[in-house]
Amino acid sequence: MNVTDHARAEKASDVAKPASEADFLWSKLFLAWLVALAASLGALFIGEVMGQSPCVLCWYQRAFMFPLAIVLAVGAFRSDSGTWRYGLPLAVIGGGIALYHSLLYAGVVAEALEPCSQGPSCTDAAMTIFGSLPLPFLSFAAFAAITLLLFLTTRITKP
C-alpha cells in the first residue's frame, strides 16, 4: 500500500467513525424516547381510558415523565449529543420518586411516611396491571431504562 492509499484508508475510517457515533447516539436517544412515550401513553391510558385515578406519587412521576417524552423526541430527531443534560435530571428525579413509590408499595417504607392520605392509595391492588405487575415498579423500570440510555450518550461528541 502506498502513501496515498494509506491516507485514503485513514480518511475513510475517520468518516465512518463519526457516522457510527451519530448512529449510536440516535439509537440510544430514540430508544429512550420510545420508553418515555410508552410510559406516558400508558399512564394516560390507565387514567383516562381505564378510569383509574393516579395517586399523589403517580402525579409526581407523570410530572417528570411527560416532559421527558418531548425532550427526548426533540433530542433524538436532532441527534443532539447534549440531550442528556436536559433529560438526565428529569429521569433521575423521576426515578427517585418511582423508587420511593416502589418501596412504599413493597412495604419497605413505613406507612407513616405514606403521602397518599387523599385519593387512591399507593398500595392498593388497583396499582397493578394485568393483575400482577405493580405500576410503581413499571414506572421505576422506565425511569431506570431512560437513565441508563441517557448515561450511555454522555460520552458522545457531536460530529
mmCIF file of all heavy atoms in Angstrom, residues 15-35:
data_model
loop_
_atom_site.group_PDB
_atom_site.id
_atom_site.type_symbol
_atom_site.label_atom_id
_atom_site.label_comp_id
_atom_site.label_asym_id
_atom_site.label_seq_id
_atom_site.Cartn_x
_atom_site.Cartn_y
_atom_site.Cartn_z
ATOM 1 N N VAL A 15 -14.203 9.094 8.529
ATOM 2 C CA VAL A 15 -15.576 9.383 8.129
ATOM 3 C C VAL A 15 -16.530 8.370 8.748
ATOM 4 O O VAL A 15 -17.606 8.713 9.202
ATOM 5 C CB VAL A 15 -15.701 9.392 6.583
ATOM 6 C CG1 VAL A 15 -17.147 9.483 6.160
ATOM 7 C CG2 VAL A 15 -14.892 10.528 6.001
ATOM 8 N N ALA A 16 -16.140 7.118 8.812
ATOM 9 C CA ALA A 16 -17.006 6.067 9.345
ATOM 10 C C ALA A 16 -17.194 6.209 10.853
ATOM 11 O O ALA A 16 -18.255 5.915 11.374
ATOM 12 C CB ALA A 16 -16.439 4.700 9.020
ATOM 13 N N LYS A 17 -16.185 6.676 11.544
ATOM 14 C CA LYS A 17 -16.273 6.758 12.999
ATOM 15 C C LYS A 17 -17.357 7.722 13.474
ATOM 16 O O LYS A 17 -18.206 7.339 14.261
ATOM 17 C CB LYS A 17 -14.916 7.123 13.598
ATOM 18 C CG LYS A 17 -14.907 7.084 15.102
ATOM 19 C CD LYS A 17 -13.552 7.361 15.656
ATOM 20 C CE LYS A 17 -13.595 7.327 17.170
ATOM 21 N NZ LYS A 17 -12.342 7.735 17.757
ATOM 22 N N PRO A 18 -17.391 8.980 13.013
ATOM 23 C CA PRO A 18 -18.460 9.860 13.465
ATOM 24 C C PRO A 18 -19.846 9.366 13.068
ATOM 25 O O PRO A 18 -20.794 9.536 13.804
ATOM 26 C CB PRO A 18 -18.131 11.195 12.802
ATOM 27 C CG PRO A 18 -16.678 11.146 12.532
ATOM 28 C CD PRO A 18 -16.390 9.704 12.255
ATOM 29 N N ALA A 19 -19.943 8.728 11.901
ATOM 30 C CA ALA A 19 -21.244 8.209 11.494
ATOM 31 C C ALA A 19 -21.713 7.137 12.462
ATOM 32 O O ALA A 19 -22.881 7.088 12.824
ATOM 33 C CB ALA A 19 -21.176 7.666 10.076
ATOM 34 N N SER A 20 -20.809 6.279 12.900
ATOM 35 C CA SER A 20 -21.212 5.248 13.845
ATOM 36 C C SER A 20 -21.541 5.855 15.207
ATOM 37 O O SER A 20 -22.453 5.388 15.882
ATOM 38 C CB SER A 20 -20.137 4.177 13.979
ATOM 39 O OG SER A 20 -18.957 4.718 14.533
ATOM 40 N N GLU A 21 -20.809 6.897 15.602
ATOM 41 C CA GLU A 21 -21.146 7.605 16.847
ATOM 42 C C GLU A 21 -22.505 8.273 16.726
ATOM 43 O O GLU A 21 -23.294 8.252 17.664
ATOM 44 C CB GLU A 21 -20.077 8.635 17.200
ATOM 45 C CG GLU A 21 -18.866 8.072 17.873
ATOM 46 C CD GLU A 21 -17.918 9.155 18.368
ATOM 47 O OE1 GLU A 21 -18.213 10.357 18.204
ATOM 48 O OE2 GLU A 21 -16.888 8.793 18.930
ATOM 49 N N ALA A 22 -22.771 8.865 15.576
ATOM 50 C CA ALA A 22 -24.059 9.524 15.357
ATOM 51 C C ALA A 22 -25.190 8.492 15.377
ATOM 52 O O ALA A 22 -26.252 8.741 15.956
ATOM 53 C CB ALA A 22 -24.050 10.287 14.044
ATOM 54 N N ASP A 23 -24.955 7.345 14.768
ATOM 55 C CA ASP A 23 -25.955 6.277 14.787
ATOM 56 C C ASP A 23 -26.182 5.765 16.201
ATOM 57 O O ASP A 23 -27.316 5.513 16.607
ATOM 58 C CB ASP A 23 -25.528 5.120 13.888
ATOM 59 C CG ASP A 23 -25.577 5.480 12.418
ATOM 60 O OD1 ASP A 23 -26.220 6.488 12.064
ATOM 61 O OD2 ASP A 23 -24.946 4.744 11.624
ATOM 62 N N PHE A 24 -25.092 5.602 16.953
ATOM 63 C CA PHE A 24 -25.185 5.148 18.339
ATOM 64 C C PHE A 24 -25.979 6.157 19.163
ATOM 65 O O PHE A 24 -26.878 5.781 19.915
ATOM 66 C CB PHE A 24 -23.784 4.960 18.930
ATOM 67 C CG PHE A 24 -23.778 4.472 20.342
ATOM 68 C CD1 PHE A 24 -23.952 3.127 20.625
ATOM 69 C CD2 PHE A 24 -23.602 5.359 21.399
ATOM 70 C CE1 PHE A 24 -23.947 2.667 21.930
ATOM 71 C CE2 PHE A 24 -23.600 4.909 22.710
ATOM 72 C CZ PHE A 24 -23.769 3.558 22.979
ATOM 73 N N LEU A 25 -25.655 7.438 18.999
ATOM 74 C CA LEU A 25 -26.363 8.491 19.720
ATOM 75 C C LEU A 25 -27.837 8.459 19.380
ATOM 76 O O LEU A 25 -28.689 8.453 20.265
ATOM 77 C CB LEU A 25 -25.761 9.866 19.380
ATOM 78 C CG LEU A 25 -26.516 11.085 19.916
ATOM 79 C CD1 LEU A 25 -26.425 11.129 21.433
ATOM 80 C CD2 LEU A 25 -25.969 12.353 19.313
ATOM 81 N N TRP A 26 -28.136 8.453 18.076
ATOM 82 C CA TRP A 26 -29.533 8.489 17.655
ATOM 83 C C TRP A 26 -30.290 7.278 18.171
ATOM 84 O O TRP A 26 -31.410 7.409 18.663
ATOM 85 C CB TRP A 26 -29.628 8.557 16.126
ATOM 86 C CG TRP A 26 -31.038 8.717 15.676
ATOM 87 C CD1 TRP A 26 -31.742 9.872 15.583
ATOM 88 C CD2 TRP A 26 -31.933 7.667 15.303
ATOM 89 N NE1 TRP A 26 -33.017 9.616 15.151
ATOM 90 C CE2 TRP A 26 -33.165 8.263 14.974
ATOM 91 C CE3 TRP A 26 -31.816 6.281 15.196
ATOM 92 C CZ2 TRP A 26 -34.271 7.531 14.563
ATOM 93 C CZ3 TRP A 26 -32.919 5.551 14.784
ATOM 94 C CH2 TRP A 26 -34.131 6.183 14.470
ATOM 95 N N SER A 27 -29.690 6.103 18.095
ATOM 96 C CA SER A 27 -30.402 4.900 18.524
ATOM 97 C C SER A 27 -30.691 4.913 20.025
ATOM 98 O O SER A 27 -31.779 4.522 20.450
ATOM 99 C CB SER A 27 -29.629 3.637 18.138
ATOM 100 O OG SER A 27 -28.415 3.552 18.839
ATOM 101 N N LYS A 28 -29.744 5.389 20.816
ATOM 102 C CA LYS A 28 -29.967 5.444 22.269
ATOM 103 C C LYS A 28 -31.032 6.479 22.623
ATOM 104 O O LYS A 28 -31.902 6.225 23.458
ATOM 105 C CB LYS A 28 -28.673 5.747 23.024
ATOM 106 C CG LYS A 28 -27.588 4.711 22.860
ATOM 107 C CD LYS A 28 -28.074 3.311 23.169
ATOM 108 C CE LYS A 28 -27.019 2.303 22.831
ATOM 109 N NZ LYS A 28 -27.492 1.207 22.014
ATOM 110 N N LEU A 29 -30.967 7.636 21.984
ATOM 111 C CA LEU A 29 -31.979 8.669 22.240
ATOM 112 C C LEU A 29 -33.349 8.217 21.752
ATOM 113 O O LEU A 29 -34.364 8.472 22.402
ATOM 114 C CB LEU A 29 -31.583 9.988 21.576
ATOM 115 C CG LEU A 29 -30.399 10.720 22.194
ATOM 116 C CD1 LEU A 29 -30.057 11.952 21.372
ATOM 117 C CD2 LEU A 29 -30.686 11.103 23.635
ATOM 118 N N PHE A 30 -33.386 7.546 20.612
ATOM 119 C CA PHE A 30 -34.653 7.064 20.076
ATOM 120 C C PHE A 30 -35.261 6.006 20.994
ATOM 121 O O PHE A 30 -36.463 6.034 21.277
ATOM 122 C CB PHE A 30 -34.456 6.512 18.661
ATOM 123 C CG PHE A 30 -35.737 6.134 17.988
ATOM 124 C CD1 PHE A 30 -36.596 7.115 17.507
ATOM 125 C CD2 PHE A 30 -36.089 4.809 17.834
ATOM 126 C CE1 PHE A 30 -37.787 6.775 16.886
ATOM 127 C CE2 PHE A 30 -37.274 4.448 17.215
ATOM 128 C CZ PHE A 30 -38.127 5.444 16.736
ATOM 129 N N LEU A 31 -34.431 5.086 21.497
ATOM 130 C CA LEU A 31 -34.925 4.077 22.434
ATOM 131 C C LEU A 31 -35.431 4.717 23.723
ATOM 132 O O LEU A 31 -36.476 4.322 24.254
ATOM 133 C CB LEU A 31 -33.831 3.058 22.752
ATOM 134 C CG LEU A 31 -33.554 2.001 21.704
ATOM 135 C CD1 LEU A 31 -32.325 1.186 22.081
ATOM 136 C CD2 LEU A 31 -34.756 1.096 21.523
ATOM 137 N N ALA A 32 -34.691 5.701 24.236
ATOM 138 C CA ALA A 32 -35.127 6.403 25.447
ATOM 139 C C ALA A 32 -36.449 7.110 25.200
ATOM 140 O O ALA A 32 -37.345 7.103 26.060
ATOM 141 C CB ALA A 32 -34.056 7.397 25.894
ATOM 142 N N TRP A 33 -36.592 7.707 24.009
ATOM 143 C CA TRP A 33 -37.847 8.374 23.672
ATOM 144 C C TRP A 33 -38.994 7.369 23.596
ATOM 145 O O TRP A 33 -40.092 7.645 24.091
ATOM 146 C CB TRP A 33 -37.718 9.127 22.347
ATOM 147 C CG TRP A 33 -39.028 9.665 21.869
ATOM 148 C CD1 TRP A 33 -39.788 10.635 22.463
ATOM 149 C CD2 TRP A 33 -39.761 9.248 20.719
ATOM 150 N NE1 TRP A 33 -40.936 10.845 21.747
ATOM 151 C CE2 TRP A 33 -40.938 10.010 20.670
ATOM 152 C CE3 TRP A 33 -39.504 8.313 19.720
ATOM 153 C CZ2 TRP A 33 -41.879 9.855 19.660
ATOM 154 C CZ3 TRP A 33 -40.440 8.165 18.716
ATOM 155 C CH2 TRP A 33 -41.615 8.926 18.689
ATOM 156 N N LEU A 34 -38.748 6.199 23.002
ATOM 157 C CA LEU A 34 -39.800 5.186 22.918
ATOM 158 C C LEU A 34 -40.256 4.743 24.304
ATOM 159 O O LEU A 34 -41.448 4.551 24.539
ATOM 160 C CB LEU A 34 -39.317 3.980 22.108
ATOM 161 C CG LEU A 34 -39.237 4.162 20.600
ATOM 162 C CD1 LEU A 34 -38.701 2.887 19.946
ATOM 163 C CD2 LEU A 34 -40.586 4.534 20.016
ATOM 164 N N VAL A 35 -39.308 4.582 25.220
ATOM 165 C CA VAL A 35 -39.655 4.203 26.593
ATOM 166 C C VAL A 35 -40.498 5.307 27.242
ATOM 167 O O VAL A 35 -41.535 5.034 27.860
ATOM 168 C CB VAL A 35 -38.393 3.907 27.429
ATOM 169 C CG1 VAL A 35 -38.735 3.720 28.903
ATOM 170 C CG2 VAL A 35 -37.662 2.689 26.889
#
